[in-house]
Amino acid sequence: MNHGMLRPNYKGQIIATGCGLLIWLLVLVNTMMMNGLASFFRGQKELTAFNQVSFLSYTAAMSVVALAGFADDAIGDKMIKGLKGHWLLWKEKQICSTGLLKAILTGIAALLFVSGLSSDSWWQLCADLILLGLMTNGINLLDVRPGRALKGFFMITAAGTFVQLSAIAISGQFHIGELLQTAMKLAPYVLPVYIGAGILLGPDLRAELMIGDAGANVLGFALGCWVVLGSAWQLQAILIVLLLVLHIMAWRSSVSQWIEANRLLLWFDLLGRSKEKASR
């Protein structure tokens, strides 16, 4: 408890927080493996879909986000909630909380990632940065109930994939070769995060651990990176609008209140959890 890594869950049991750091560790292991493969197959066609510079900038940016989130889990003031709370603390007392520092570092991480991409448009660059910031904090806004952030992460990726495939099918430009190439391009980014999220989902739903900001922020940042890498600008624009709505709701009231007022969302939120109202 003295180091802030143990907190009471909704049952009053003391459990570990910041366990989402596992996802970052898997990303690091995957990066070492991919760099080894890239060196072995250098100059050959096996890894033509793999951009080593982009991947390294992705891992470096993820490391900044993960460690900033872990620091907030360990030493952050748990009484300060949301962007509004951190902003008011700065506005009224000129105190830079760990949460505000985390937001600044996330912005730097987003800039680090997009700088490794080839883009000639300043508009696209700004849109990528906005999307990464909103997505990172958006998943974090969900992490106030057991399993909610992880389920939100899986739901958004599934919905995004469905929308992408539907748009391709409607356009009549369905080319299996291009889809496979895109899948190969995204696989090194996606697999370690999905594996880590899958490992943590069960214990998080049972309120045996909390992924903390170290997990929620990494999930959001990773998801934002995947959208930037593999989605059309139309989907990116839709996500930015939806994320802005989510942030406005969180600023004005509570995401939990909105979820509890909707039967379908409440059913999905409680899926896999205890029937008790779980509050962390």
Side-chain angles (χ1 to χ4, degrees):
M1 289 287 285
N2 293 335
H3 297 286
M5 301 315 298
L6 295 175
R7 290 176 57 191
N9 67 2
Y10 72 101
K11 295 179 180 178
Q13 300 167 329
I14 303 301
I15 59 175
T17 187
C19 296
L21 201 66
L22 169 69
I23 300 170
W24 171 64
L25 294 175
L26 291 175
V27 169
L28 288 184
V29 171
N30 182 64
T31 299
M32 290 187 285
M33 292 173 56
M34 290 304 301
N35 281 334
L37 287 173
S39 299
F40 183 78
F41 288 113
R42 192 178 302 279
Q44 300 181 39
K45 296 181 179 180
E46 283 83 352
L47 293 179
T48 52
F50 178 65
N51 185 324
Q52 192 171 11
V53 174
S54 174
F55 191 67
L56 288 175
S57 65
Y58 167 80
T59 303
M62 286 273 280
S63 298
V64 173
V65 172
L67 294 177
F70 188 74
D72 195 28
D73 289 330
I75 61 176
D77 188 343
K78 307 302 186 293
M79 300 303 295
I80 304 172
K81 301 292 185 181
L83 286 174
K84 186 175 182 180
H86 296 293
W87 165 249
L88 289 176
L89 182 66
W90 171 257
K91 181 180 178 181
E92 295 172 1
K93 299 182 179 180
Q94 285 72 54
I95 296 176
C96 182
S97 65
T98 54
L100 186 58
L101 180 61
K102 180 185 65 178
I104 295 170
L105 289 173
T106 298
I108 295 173
L111 188 60
L112 176 63
F113 173 70
V114 299
S115 66
L117 305 176
S118 55
S119 176
D120 300 325
S121 170
W122 282 99
W123 288 104
Q124 184 64 55
L125 177 66
C126 292
D128 291 346
L129 292 173
I130 291 171
L131 176 63
L132 284 168
L134 290 175
M135 188 69 81
T136 302
N137 194 62
I139 297 296
N140 194 42
L141 289 175
L142 300 178
D143 191 35
V144 292
R145 297 291 187 273
R148 183 184 288 178
L150 286 164
K151 284 193 285 188
F153 165 78
F154 284 121
M155 183 176 69
I156 293 170
T157 53
T161 302
F162 176 77
V163 170
Q164 285 278 89
L165 293 176
S166 299
I168 294 171
I170 292 171
S171 68
Q173 297 177 346
F174 189 89
H175 301 294
I176 189 66
E178 292 181 8
L179 286 176
L180 287 174
Q181 188 174 10
T182 301
M184 288 178 62
K185 173 185 174 183
L186 291 177
Y189 298 85
V190 173
L191 287 178
V193 179
Y194 253 81
I195 291 170
I199 292 172
L200 293 168
L201 179 59
D204 191 26
L205 281 170
R206 295 190 296 270
E208 296 171 353
L209 57 77
M210 289 180 274
I211 63 171
D213 289 354
N217 287 345
V218 163
L219 289 173
F221 189 83
L223 186 51
C225 290
W226 305 344
V227 172
V228 168
L229 287 169
S231 300
W233 67 267
Q234 294 92 336
L235 180 59
Q236 295 183 32
I238 292 171
L239 282 172
I240 288 174
V241 171
L242 292 176
L243 287 166
L244 282 172
V245 171
L246 175 66
H247 280 76
I248 290 171
M249 286 195 314
W251 185 279
R252 298 183 64 178
S253 58
S254 165
V255 174
S256 292
Q257 291 177 2
W258 185 67
I259 289 175
E260 289 169 5
N262 184 296
R263 288 187 178 182
L264 180 60
L265 290 176
L266 181 60
W267 169 83
F268 184 71
D269 189 42
L270 294 174
L271 187 64
R273 283 168 46 193
S274 166
K275 291 184 180 180
E276 313 173 48
K277 286 190 175 180
S279 174
R280 296 205 272 205

